[in-house]
Amino acid sequence: MKVSTQRQAALLLAVNGLFLLANALSGTFLNVYLWKSRQDYAMIGWFSIAQQLALGLSFWLAGKWVKEHNKMNALRLGIAVSGLFYLLILFLRGNTVHYIWPLGLLLGVAGGLFWLAFNIVYFEITDARNRDFWNGWIGLLGAFTGIVAPWLSGYLISTLKGERGYRIVFILSLCIFALTAVLSFFLRKRKTEGAYEWLEPWRALRRPDSRWRGVAAALLFQGLREGVFSFLIGLLVYIAAKEESKLGQYTLITSAVSLISYWAAGKWFKPEFRSKGMLLGGILLVAVITPLLWKVNFVTLLIMGMGTSLFIPLYMLPMVSTSFDLMGESSDSAGKRTELVVLRELSLMAGRLLGMFVFIAVLTVNSSPRVITLLMLGLGLAPLGSWLILRRRLPH
């Protein structure tokens, strides 16, 4: 990788890190903020469904803009819409729960625009030889922001008490989004890639010899787990501890573990370890949920969180690298990388939506801690489904 390309990669990671930081500051407590207004699991589930629908659709619709025009403007608009979302939260205050769908859709559009552009540029400045290394750095940045931001937010919200603390946190996120937008202007404009093919994601799945069928199915299993876990764990920690500061402490500890595990994975996890590592990671991700069968409290949730942070790189690094490597296996697939990134996101979206529909259906009938734990165990088996599908195409 050339020095100039390395600098662009580092700058892209800095933009990614700031975007994650701004979202972690407020996003960690966003569902708690909604929960304090209305204690309703279904409401939180529908808010997440709205996000995922908008995220997937914006990936597909914005693909034409990103491929044929300036993808950096799509990235910047994603940052700006994220800032608009938190401006609306500040304006609506206690009425936020009455606008779950439009707010969820807006947040999904923001994420779709940013992550589509980010993934395309990330693909362009990395290759199969160094992708695990850069994936490790992305994990490190995510872990670092997870250490700093939620702890700070939890401290501010608990110290300033109630609405005032939340407003300060949301304003901080707005300021960081502004800084992220400024920094993004130092990223070079990328070349356009030809005409956008709207139906290519579906064509890639329909081809008889398509390797994307298996990858898309594995991504669906990934989404099945993460769609629910991404919002449920933080909410359960707050319900168990009844303090935002405890959720901040929880996220600090689990992110510190994640920081170490992603650093180790980036250093030692080689492509030839992907199959065995993914299987081991999938098994351990299920095992760490079992303490909740005894009791759902802050301690058992912390055990699960630390275990998840420790073992998740074993599963996630092969998942990310496999799909990106497949995009770059030929000049034809590399030329269709925008459409294939869209396919990747739509596959994840399908899994996330399926998981969240199951979550809403089950918890509408029974929301006891035992049922929640059994649901988490069931969804937690999904990584093993990903491994079963990909095991023969992963390096052994």
Side-chain angles (χ1 to χ4, degrees):
M1 186 184 283
K2 295 180 180 178
V3 174
S4 60
T5 305
Q6 286 182 329
R7 287 174 180 169
Q8 285 290 294
L11 184 57
L12 183 66
L13 289 184
V15 169
N16 173 62
L18 285 173
F19 187 79
L20 289 173
L21 179 63
N23 278 299
L25 270 170
S26 296
T28 304
F29 295 92
L30 183 58
N31 289 322
V32 173
Y33 184 71
L34 297 174
W35 180 266
K36 292 179 79 169
S37 296
R38 184 192 301 168
Q39 288 75 49
D40 184 357
Y41 283 111
M43 176 195 67
I44 304 296
W46 288 119
F47 179 62
S48 297
I49 284 173
Q51 289 179 56
Q52 291 305 318
L53 283 171
L55 186 72
L57 289 174
S58 60
F59 257 75
W60 183 53
L61 294 173
K64 183 176 179 64
W65 180 15
V66 167
K67 184 167 185 176
E68 298 181 9
H69 303 286
N70 189 346
K71 56 180 68 71
M72 291 305 174
N73 285 339
L75 183 140
R76 292 171 193 130
L77 183 59
I79 297 168
V81 176
S82 296
L84 174 61
F85 170 82
Y86 284 106
L87 270 176
L88 289 174
I89 294 290
L90 286 166
F91 175 76
L92 291 169
R93 297 194 176 193
N95 293 318
T96 301
V97 292
H98 302 301
Y99 300 93
I100 289 300
W101 272 93
L103 287 171
L105 292 171
L106 187 67
L107 190 57
V109 168
L113 290 169
F114 179 87
W115 291 115
L116 173 61
F118 174 84
N119 284 331
I120 296 298
V121 178
Y122 174 71
F123 172 82
E124 292 174 354
I125 61 178
T126 62
D127 55 44
R129 293 169 298 175
N130 59 34
R131 199 157 285 135
D132 283 330
F133 170 79
W134 289 107
N135 286 344
W137 270 104
I138 287 176
L140 280 173
L141 280 173
F144 180 74
T145 57
I147 290 172
V148 175
W151 176 84
L152 177 60
S153 297
Y155 174 79
L156 288 172
I157 293 169
S158 297
T159 302
L160 298 175
K161 302 295 181 185
E163 185 75 19
R164 187 185 174 201
Y166 278 101
R167 292 180 69 78
I168 293 296
V169 167
F170 293 153
I171 290 169
L172 277 175
S173 286
L174 279 174
C175 294
I176 296 172
F177 281 129
L179 177 61
T180 308
V182 171
L183 188 62
S184 71
F185 281 95
F186 291 94
L187 288 165
R188 288 200 306 266
K189 182 179 179 180
R190 312 295 299 184
K191 293 180 181 178
T192 55
E193 309 159 11
Y196 181 65
E197 299 182 35
W198 290 97
L199 298 181
E200 179 58 28
W202 285 268
R203 293 193 195 108
L205 295 178
R206 290 176 59 189
R207 294 187 185 104
D209 59 343
S210 174
R211 295 176 64 189
W212 274 100
R213 288 183 181 180
V215 172
L219 288 165
L220 186 146
F221 275 101
Q222 177 187 331
L224 193 64
R225 177 190 183 278
E226 71 180 26
V228 173
F229 278 54
S230 62
F231 70 85
L232 180 59
I233 303 305
L235 194 57
L236 289 177
V237 171
Y238 171 75
I239 293 169
K242 296 181 173 58
E243 290 181 32
E244 285 90 349
S245 61
K246 283 287 188 181
L247 176 54
Q249 291 170 19
Y250 172 90
T251 311
L252 184 151
I253 294 168
T254 55
S255 296
V257 175
S258 187
L259 185 71
I260 296 169
S261 63
Y262 268 104
W263 172 80
K267 187 175 179 63
W268 290 299
F269 195 76
K270 306 300 180 186
E272 58 266 27
F273 302 148
R274 286 180 187 174
S275 181
K276 292 178 181 177
M278 193 173 177
L279 173 60
L280 180 62
I283 293 171
L284 293 172
L285 287 174
V286 177
V288 297
I289 301 172
T290 56
L292 301 183
L293 290 171
W294 171 60
K295 192 174 184 180
V296 179
N297 58 24
F298 183 79
V299 173
T300 54
L301 285 165
L302 184 60
I303 292 170
M304 187 203 72
M306 292 174 65
T308 299
S309 298
L310 185 62
F311 305 126
I312 196 72
L314 294 173
Y315 171 67
M316 286 302 301
L317 293 187
M319 285 297 300
V320 173
S321 295
T322 298
S323 57
F324 276 90
D325 289 351
L326 193 54
M327 291 177 204
E329 70 175 356
S330 68
S331 57
D332 180 61
S333 60
K336 295 176 179 177
R337 54 186 172 272
T338 300
E339 291 88 345
L340 294 177
V341 166
V342 171
L343 170 57
R344 180 179 182 273
E345 186 58 36
L346 290 176
S347 302
L348 285 168
M349 181 194 74
R352 290 166 184 158
L353 288 175
L354 179 58
M356 286 184 287
F357 280 127
V358 171
F359 168 83
I360 291 173
V362 171
L363 268 67
T364 299
V365 176
N366 189 330
S367 59
S368 68
R370 173 64 60 173
V371 168
I372 292 174
T373 300
L374 292 175
L375 178 61
M376 290 172 65
L377 274 171
L379 295 175
L381 291 168
L384 294 175
S386 298
W387 174 79
L388 282 171
I389 293 167
L390 293 181
R391 69 189 188 282
R392 291 178 181 173
R393 67 184 66 196
L394 292 169
H396 290 75

